[in-house]
Amino acid sequence: LPANGTPLDDALWSSRSSLSMKMTAEALVSLHSSPVALVRSFDVVKEVRLAFEWARLVAAVRPKLGSTALTMATRLGRCAPTIALQQDVPIHKDLHYKHVIVGDRCAFVDLDEMRFGDPSFDLAHFCAYLNLLGIRKKARSWETKLLEWLFLDTYGRASGWRLDERFGFFSTYTYLKIAKQLCMEEGVRPRPNGKDRIRQLRAVLSLGLIAARSLPPHEGGSTN
Protein backbone atom coordinates (compact mmCIF):
# COMPACT_ATOMS: atom_id res chain seq x y z
CA LEU A 1 0.00 0.00 0.00
CA PRO A 2 1.23 3.56 -0.61
CA ALA A 3 2.76 5.28 2.41
CA ASN A 4 1.78 8.94 2.27
CA GLY A 5 3.92 11.43 4.15
CA THR A 6 7.59 12.16 4.66
CA PRO A 7 10.49 10.21 6.19
CA LEU A 8 10.62 10.56 9.95
CA ASP A 9 13.93 12.44 9.98
CA ASP A 10 12.26 15.38 8.20
CA ALA A 11 9.95 15.79 11.19
CA LEU A 12 12.51 15.49 13.97
CA TRP A 13 14.01 18.47 15.80
CA SER A 14 10.95 20.46 14.73
CA SER A 15 7.51 21.33 16.10
CA ARG A 16 6.32 17.91 14.89
CA SER A 17 8.99 15.87 16.64
CA SER A 18 7.05 14.83 19.75
CA LEU A 19 3.93 13.81 17.86
CA SER A 20 5.98 11.94 15.25
CA MET A 21 7.88 9.95 17.88
CA LYS A 22 4.63 9.02 19.64
CA MET A 23 3.07 7.96 16.34
CA THR A 24 6.10 5.81 15.54
CA ALA A 25 5.99 4.09 18.92
CA GLU A 26 2.25 3.44 18.66
CA ALA A 27 2.65 2.05 15.14
CA LEU A 28 5.39 -0.27 16.37
CA VAL A 29 3.10 -1.57 19.12
CA SER A 30 0.56 -2.39 16.40
CA LEU A 31 3.19 -4.19 14.32
CA HIS A 32 4.44 -6.21 17.29
CA SER A 33 0.91 -7.27 18.23
CA SER A 34 -0.23 -8.09 14.69
CA PRO A 35 -1.26 -11.67 13.78
CA VAL A 36 0.91 -11.74 10.65
CA ALA A 37 2.30 -15.15 9.71
CA LEU A 38 6.05 -15.19 9.08
CA VAL A 39 8.41 -17.95 7.99
CA ARG A 40 11.71 -16.72 9.47
CA SER A 41 12.78 -16.38 13.09
CA PHE A 42 15.64 -14.44 14.68
CA ASP A 43 18.76 -16.60 15.02
CA VAL A 44 20.90 -15.15 17.81
CA VAL A 45 23.89 -17.40 17.08
CA LYS A 46 23.96 -16.36 13.43
CA GLU A 47 23.56 -12.68 14.30
CA VAL A 48 26.37 -12.71 16.88
CA ARG A 49 28.66 -14.34 14.34
CA LEU A 50 27.77 -11.53 11.95
CA ALA A 51 28.65 -9.03 14.67
CA PHE A 52 32.11 -10.59 15.01
CA GLU A 53 32.56 -10.29 11.22
CA TRP A 54 31.62 -6.62 11.41
CA ALA A 55 34.04 -6.03 14.26
CA ARG A 56 36.89 -7.67 12.35
CA LEU A 57 36.07 -5.57 9.31
CA VAL A 58 36.16 -2.37 11.39
CA ALA A 59 39.51 -3.48 12.82
CA ALA A 60 40.87 -4.11 9.32
CA VAL A 61 39.69 -0.76 7.92
CA ARG A 62 40.39 1.36 11.03
CA PRO A 63 42.98 -0.47 13.15
CA LYS A 64 43.01 2.22 15.87
CA LEU A 65 39.31 1.60 16.48
CA GLY A 66 39.47 -2.16 16.14
CA SER A 67 39.86 -2.95 19.84
CA THR A 68 36.62 -1.12 20.66
CA ALA A 69 34.68 -3.01 17.99
CA LEU A 70 36.14 -6.36 19.07
CA THR A 71 35.33 -5.64 22.71
CA MET A 72 31.71 -5.00 21.74
CA ALA A 73 31.50 -8.26 19.78
CA THR A 74 33.11 -10.20 22.61
CA ARG A 75 30.58 -8.88 25.11
CA LEU A 76 27.78 -9.95 22.76
CA GLY A 77 29.26 -13.42 22.45
CA ARG A 78 29.58 -13.85 26.20
CA CYS A 79 26.04 -12.64 26.87
CA ALA A 80 24.26 -14.47 24.04
CA PRO A 81 24.12 -17.97 25.60
CA THR A 82 22.27 -16.78 28.70
CA ILE A 83 20.15 -13.81 27.63
CA ALA A 84 16.42 -14.63 27.54
CA LEU A 85 14.93 -13.52 24.23
CA GLN A 86 11.38 -13.65 22.92
CA GLN A 87 10.92 -15.47 19.63
CA ASP A 88 7.21 -15.00 18.95
CA VAL A 89 6.81 -11.31 18.07
CA PRO A 90 6.77 -10.07 14.44
CA ILE A 91 9.66 -7.60 14.19
CA HIS A 92 10.69 -5.26 11.38
CA LYS A 93 14.44 -5.96 11.93
CA ASP A 94 15.60 -2.89 9.98
CA LEU A 95 13.65 -0.10 11.61
CA HIS A 96 15.22 3.35 11.36
CA TYR A 97 14.17 6.89 10.58
CA LYS A 98 14.21 6.44 6.79
CA HIS A 99 11.91 3.42 7.04
CA VAL A 100 9.27 5.36 8.97
CA ILE A 101 6.87 7.54 6.98
CA VAL A 102 4.79 10.06 8.93
CA GLY A 103 1.76 11.96 7.70
CA ASP A 104 -1.83 11.68 8.81
CA ARG A 105 -0.79 8.24 9.99
CA CYS A 106 2.49 6.40 10.48
CA ALA A 107 3.67 3.68 8.10
CA PHE A 108 6.72 1.42 7.95
CA VAL A 109 8.43 0.56 4.66
CA ASP A 110 11.05 -1.97 3.50
CA LEU A 111 9.60 -4.98 5.30
CA ASP A 112 11.77 -7.60 3.58
CA GLU A 113 13.69 -8.42 6.79
CA MET A 114 10.58 -9.14 8.90
CA ARG A 115 10.64 -12.26 11.07
CA PHE A 116 9.64 -13.46 14.51
CA GLY A 117 11.92 -12.25 17.29
CA ASP A 118 12.22 -10.02 20.32
CA PRO A 119 10.51 -6.60 20.36
CA SER A 120 13.58 -5.08 22.04
CA PHE A 121 15.45 -5.62 18.78
CA ASP A 122 13.31 -3.08 16.89
CA LEU A 123 13.41 -0.65 19.82
CA ALA A 124 17.20 -0.76 20.19
CA HIS A 125 17.79 -0.72 16.42
CA PHE A 126 15.56 2.32 15.98
CA CYS A 127 17.18 4.20 18.88
CA ALA A 128 20.72 3.46 17.69
CA TYR A 129 19.92 4.97 14.30
CA LEU A 130 18.18 7.87 16.01
CA ASN A 131 21.47 8.55 17.81
CA LEU A 132 23.30 8.27 14.49
CA LEU A 133 20.98 10.94 13.11
CA GLY A 134 21.71 13.15 16.11
CA ILE A 135 25.44 12.69 15.49
CA ARG A 136 25.01 13.61 11.85
CA LYS A 137 22.99 16.71 12.65
CA LYS A 138 25.42 17.61 15.46
CA ALA A 139 22.43 17.87 17.76
CA ARG A 140 22.90 18.34 21.47
CA SER A 141 22.93 14.96 23.21
CA TRP A 142 20.04 15.83 25.51
CA GLU A 143 17.83 16.61 22.52
CA THR A 144 18.40 13.16 21.05
CA LYS A 145 17.96 11.47 24.43
CA LEU A 146 14.67 13.29 24.95
CA LEU A 147 13.35 11.94 21.64
CA GLU A 148 14.59 8.47 22.55
CA TRP A 149 12.92 8.64 25.95
CA LEU A 150 9.63 9.80 24.42
CA PHE A 151 9.68 6.91 21.95
CA LEU A 152 10.49 4.25 24.57
CA ASP A 153 8.10 5.67 27.15
CA THR A 154 5.20 5.76 24.67
CA TYR A 155 5.92 2.20 23.56
CA GLY A 156 6.26 0.97 27.15
CA ARG A 157 3.02 2.58 28.34
CA ALA A 158 1.10 1.06 25.42
CA SER A 159 2.63 -2.42 25.53
CA GLY A 160 3.92 -3.06 29.06
CA TRP A 161 7.50 -3.34 27.76
CA ARG A 162 10.29 -2.54 30.23
CA LEU A 163 13.91 -1.66 29.61
CA ASP A 164 16.29 -4.53 30.46
CA GLU A 165 19.50 -6.21 29.30
CA ARG A 166 17.96 -7.13 25.94
CA PHE A 167 17.95 -3.46 24.95
CA GLY A 168 21.66 -3.14 25.73
CA PHE A 169 22.39 -6.37 23.86
CA PHE A 170 20.63 -5.27 20.68
CA SER A 171 22.01 -1.72 20.98
CA THR A 172 25.54 -3.11 21.00
CA TYR A 173 24.73 -5.25 17.98
CA THR A 174 23.24 -2.32 16.05
CA TYR A 175 26.10 0.07 16.77
CA LEU A 176 28.48 -2.56 15.38
CA LYS A 177 26.28 -2.81 12.29
CA ILE A 178 26.37 0.97 11.83
CA ALA A 179 30.15 1.01 12.35
CA LYS A 180 30.54 -1.60 9.62
CA GLN A 181 28.31 0.41 7.30
CA LEU A 182 30.35 3.56 7.90
CA CYS A 183 33.58 1.70 7.17
CA MET A 184 32.15 0.27 3.94
CA GLU A 185 30.40 3.52 2.93
CA GLU A 186 27.04 1.75 3.13
CA GLY A 187 23.87 2.34 5.12
CA VAL A 188 21.45 5.21 5.46
CA ARG A 189 22.01 8.13 3.11
CA PRO A 190 23.52 10.68 2.97
CA ARG A 191 26.71 8.75 3.59
CA PRO A 192 29.58 10.74 5.09
CA ASN A 193 33.14 10.79 3.83
CA GLY A 194 36.52 12.06 4.93
CA LYS A 195 36.90 13.46 8.42
CA ASP A 196 33.16 13.46 9.05
CA ARG A 197 32.99 9.72 8.45
CA ILE A 198 35.71 9.19 11.06
CA ARG A 199 33.89 11.51 13.47
CA GLN A 200 30.68 9.56 13.10
CA LEU A 201 32.46 6.22 13.39
CA ARG A 202 34.19 7.24 16.62
CA ALA A 203 30.93 8.53 18.08
CA VAL A 204 29.00 5.39 17.14
CA LEU A 205 31.65 3.08 18.61
CA SER A 206 31.71 5.15 21.78
CA LEU A 207 27.97 4.68 22.22
CA GLY A 208 28.30 1.01 21.38
CA LEU A 209 30.98 0.51 24.00
CA ILE A 210 28.75 2.14 26.61
CA ALA A 211 25.95 -0.26 25.66
CA ALA A 212 28.32 -3.24 25.75
CA ARG A 213 29.57 -2.32 29.21
CA SER A 214 25.97 -2.28 30.46
CA LEU A 215 25.62 -5.98 29.69
CA PRO A 216 25.86 -8.41 32.60
CA PRO A 217 29.30 -10.01 32.90
CA HIS A 218 28.09 -13.52 32.17
CA GLU A 219 30.73 -16.19 32.07
CA GLY A 220 30.56 -18.45 29.06
CA GLY A 221 32.05 -19.15 25.69
CA SER A 222 31.89 -16.53 23.00
CA THR A 223 30.18 -17.26 19.69
CA ASN A 224 32.63 -16.23 17.06
Side-chain angles (χ1 to χ4, degrees), residues 5-17 20-21 24 96-102 109 126 129-130 132-134 136-137 147 188-190:
T6 59
L8 177 63
D9 55 313
D10 291 341
L12 296 181
W13 289 279
S14 74
S15 59
R16 296 183 294 154
S17 59
S20 297
M21 293 302 285
T24 302
H96 56 68
Y97 52 86
K98 286 294 188 185
H99 287 166
V100 179
I101 307 299
V102 289
V109 298
F126 178 83
Y129 277 90
L130 178 65
L132 172 66
L133 180 61
R136 289 183 168 178
K137 288 182 171 290
L147 292 174
V188 182
R189 298 178 185 273

Side-chain angles (χ1 to χ4, degrees), residues 166-183:
R166 294 172 299 163
F167 187 84
F169 183 84
F170 291 126
S171 294
T172 305
Y173 167 95
T174 308
Y175 283 122
L176 267 177
K177 174 184 174 181
I178 296 171
K180 183 270 296 189
Q181 291 175 336
L182 287 169
C183 285

Side-chain angles (χ1 to χ4, degrees), residues 57-96:
L57 188 148
V58 172
V61 175
R62 296 292 172 186
K64 292 183 179 180
L65 302 175
S67 61
T68 300
L70 291 169
T71 295
M72 291 164 60
T74 300
R75 293 300 295 267
L76 286 175
R78 288 176 178 171
C79 194
T82 55
I83 193 167
L85 301 178
Q86 284 185 252
Q87 293 286 357
D88 58 352
V89 172
I91 62 172
H92 186 287
K93 201 177 178 285
D94 194 22
L95 190 65
H96 56 68

Side-chain angles (χ1 to χ4, degrees), residues 49 51-61 69-70 224:
R49 285 176 178 161
F52 270 98
E53 291 179 14
W54 298 337
R56 293 184 187 111
L57 188 148
V58 172
V61 175
L70 291 169
N224 59 13

Side-chain angles (χ1 to χ4, degrees), residues 26-39:
E26 290 166 354
L28 189 58
V29 172
S30 296
L31 176 67
H32 287 169
S33 59
S34 66
V36 63
L38 300 169
V39 174

